[in-house]
């Protein structure tokens, strides 16, 4: 079936956070697609360690400046749940508690200003336990993300997949549909669904199948996407296909790398898909034998600073004087260098020629004039 023949439902809208402590963030509908990442470390002991708590809060604030909207924390035990509550209190960013197996952890997290609970109903246990989480979230005004992945399919659907009677992608969508039915019966509508596979094709097919039948906002991602390059390639392929079809209200690029790289990748994908406008766009040359300016180290030093700026500009970092201003002539500001010198240019016009050792200082001065 051609893409033009596919019909997908517009997702309904709800909000997470906004509980008097946490920022209110819209999900679905005409709200902008949000970017998520996951905290990469355990949080046991944070509750009683103010220095660690302050460091986490500071890091969350830094991640926000480069484009992060929501952060998910693994909560594997009760001590982590207590620490998670304190982290929620220490930041205004919407935080999500990632719960597996023990529903009581979700109930504990609801004692703090949590923005959302992520559960996989398939491993939480009985329906009564799922209902307990739903009722607790309903009382607190907290959203739920239903997470389904290829490792948690119901036995009957797994058997059909193994017998070749059903694709794994369709099984993912059917599993999500079964879980959604329970939430509908309980009249709980502040739900996000995620169906993740490590295969790009399966991820796309599962999300398309679900979006053709339900108006529930989708969190899209490729699970276990791999190391930096592999994960970026897989996520870009899956996300660009789905986002251009109007599927996906929130995203997470899952990488065996830093949260910063996940956020920056997500930000760039949304920008290139026309889902995020504004902000600083960085263009830089890949470097070659003509190199006269250390592009890589300059970008490394400046990337976070630039992405955190409230400016709608394009910045070019080019490797040589010969091509720099010409190739970057569309940029609002750019820098190139060679033979111990650096050029600062705007819209292709050289405005300053300086010693390379002064590049960062002068670049900063000119950047502030924009």
């Amino acid at each position: 079936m051609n893409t033009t023949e596919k019909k997908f439902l517009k997702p309904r809208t709800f909000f997470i956070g906004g509980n008097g402590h946490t920022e209110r963030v819209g999900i679905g509908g005409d709200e902008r697609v949000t970017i998520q990442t996951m905290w990469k470390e355990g949080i046991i002991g944070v509750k009683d360690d103010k220095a660690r708590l302050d460091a986490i809060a500071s890091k969350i604030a830094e991640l926000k400046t480069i484009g992060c909207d929501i952060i998910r924390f693994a909560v594997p035990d009760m001590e982590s749940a207590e620490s998670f509550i304190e982290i929620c209190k220490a930041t205004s960013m919407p935080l999500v508690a990632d719960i597996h197996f023990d529903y009581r952890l979700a109930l504990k997290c609801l004692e703090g200003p949590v923005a959302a609970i992520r559960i996989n109903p398939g491993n939480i246990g009985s329906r009564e336990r799922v209902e307990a989480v739903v009722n607790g979230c309903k009382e607190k005004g907290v959203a739920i993300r239903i997470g389904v992945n290829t490792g948690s399919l119901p036995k009957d659907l797994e058997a059909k997949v193994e017998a070749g009677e059903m694709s794994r992608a369709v099984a993912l969508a059917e599993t999500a549909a079964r879980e959604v039915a329970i939430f509908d019966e309980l009249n709980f509508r502040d739900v996000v669904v995620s169906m993740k596979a490590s295969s790009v094709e399966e991820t796309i097919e599962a999300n398309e199948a679900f979006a053709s039948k339900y108006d529930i906002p989708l969190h899209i991602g490729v699970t276990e996407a791999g190391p930096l390059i592999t994960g970026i390639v897989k996520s870009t392929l899956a996300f660009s296909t789905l986002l251009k079809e109007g599927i996906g209200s929130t995203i997470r690029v899952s990488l065996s790398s830093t949260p910063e790289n996940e956020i920056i990748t997500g930000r760039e994908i949304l920008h290139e898909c026309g889902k995020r406008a504004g902000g600083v766009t960085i263009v830089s040359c890949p470097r070659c034998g003509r190199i006269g300016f250390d592009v890589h180290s300059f970008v490394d030093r400046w990337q976070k600073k630039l992405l955190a700026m409230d400016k709608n500009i394009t910045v070019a970092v080019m490797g040589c004087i010969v091509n720099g201003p010409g190739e970057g002539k569309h940029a609002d500001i750019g820098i190139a260098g060679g033979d111990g010198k650096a050029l600062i240019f705007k819209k292709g016009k050289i405005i300053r020629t300086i010693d390379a050792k002064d590049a960062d200082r002068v670049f900063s001065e000119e950047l502030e004039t924009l």
Side-chain angles (χ1 to χ4, degrees), residues 114-174:
V114 58
I117 300 288
R118 188 271 191 187
I119 62 171
N120 183 333
N123 68 32
I124 282 291
S126 66
R127 174 167 173 144
E128 288 73 22
R129 293 177 178 180
V130 174
E131 286 189 20
V133 175
V134 171
N135 290 334
C137 288
K138 187 183 295 186
E139 180 183 346
K140 297 285 187 176
V142 171
I144 293 177
R145 174 182 147 197
I146 301 172
V148 177
N149 55 52
T150 53
S152 60
L153 298 177
K155 291 182 179 179
D156 63 318
L157 296 183
E158 184 64 47
K160 287 184 178 181
V161 172
E162 293 178 355
E165 300 172 3
M166 176 182 287
S167 72
R168 193 168 297 277
V170 171
L172 277 170
E174 174 58 28

Side-chain angles (χ1 to χ4, degrees), residues 43-268:
I43 54 174
I44 287 178
V46 169
K47 176 178 180 290
D48 301 312
D49 188 336
K50 188 176 186 305
R52 276 184 71 195
L53 180 61
D54 290 345
I56 290 173
S58 177
K59 184 67 172 181
I60 290 173
E62 180 182 323
L63 295 177
K64 178 182 177 182
T65 66
I66 62 171
C68 187
D69 300 299
I70 301 166
I71 301 180
R72 181 160 48 107
F73 281 75
V75 182
D77 50 55
M78 201 59 72
E79 187 174 352
S80 295
E82 293 174 349
S83 291
F84 177 72
I85 290 172
E86 296 307 310
I87 295 171
C88 288
K89 293 176 181 178
T91 178
S92 62
M93 172 154 327
L95 304 185
V96 180
D98 190 279
I99 308 295
H100 288 273
F101 306 114
D102 190 346
Y103 77 105
R104 293 170 298 182
L105 297 175
L107 300 182
K108 180 65 178 179
C109 289
L110 288 172
E111 294 178 11
V114 58
I117 300 288
R118 188 271 191 187
I119 62 171
N120 183 333
N123 68 32
I124 282 291
S126 66
R127 174 167 173 144
E128 288 73 22
R129 293 177 178 180
V130 174
E131 286 189 20
V133 175
V134 171
N135 290 334
C137 288
K138 187 183 295 186
E139 180 183 346
K140 297 285 187 176
V142 171
I144 293 177
R145 174 182 147 197
I146 301 172
V148 177
N149 55 52
T150 53
S152 60
L153 298 177
K155 291 182 179 179
D156 63 318
L157 296 183
E158 184 64 47
K160 287 184 178 181
V161 172
E162 293 178 355
E165 300 172 3
M166 176 182 287
S167 72
R168 193 168 297 277
V170 171
L172 277 170
E174 174 58 28
T175 302
R178 292 182 183 182
E179 306 298 355
V180 165
I182 298 174
F183 286 72
D184 284 343
E185 291 173 15
L186 297 173
N187 194 31
F188 189 85
R189 292 179 57 81
D190 292 353
V191 174
V192 175
V193 168
S194 66
M195 294 158 290
K196 296 185 178 182
S198 57
S199 159
V200 170
E201 184 178 356
E202 288 179 353
T203 298
I204 293 172
E205 185 182 344
N207 281 275
E208 287 180 339
F210 190 89
S212 67
K213 297 179 180 178
Y214 298 92
D215 69 345
I216 296 173
L218 292 176
H219 168 88
I220 59 174
V222 180
T223 190
E224 301 162 357
L228 186 64
I229 295 174
T230 304
I232 289 175
V233 170
K234 285 186 174 183
S235 297
T236 301
L237 288 171
F239 290 16
S240 60
T241 298
L242 293 169
L243 289 167
K244 288 178 180 178
E245 293 176 331
I247 298 173
S249 297
T250 182
I251 66 171
R252 184 220 169 172
V253 179
S254 298
L255 300 174
S256 298
S257 185
T258 63
E260 288 89 342
N261 282 335
E262 292 189 352
I263 296 161
I264 293 169
T265 303
R267 176 174 170 160
E268 290 303 309

Side-chain angles (χ1 to χ4, degrees), residues 11-26:
R12 63 198 185 214
T13 306
F14 65 89
F15 295 86
I16 65 171
N19 53 15
H21 176 82
T22 306
E23 293 178 9
R24 188 171 183 254
V25 174

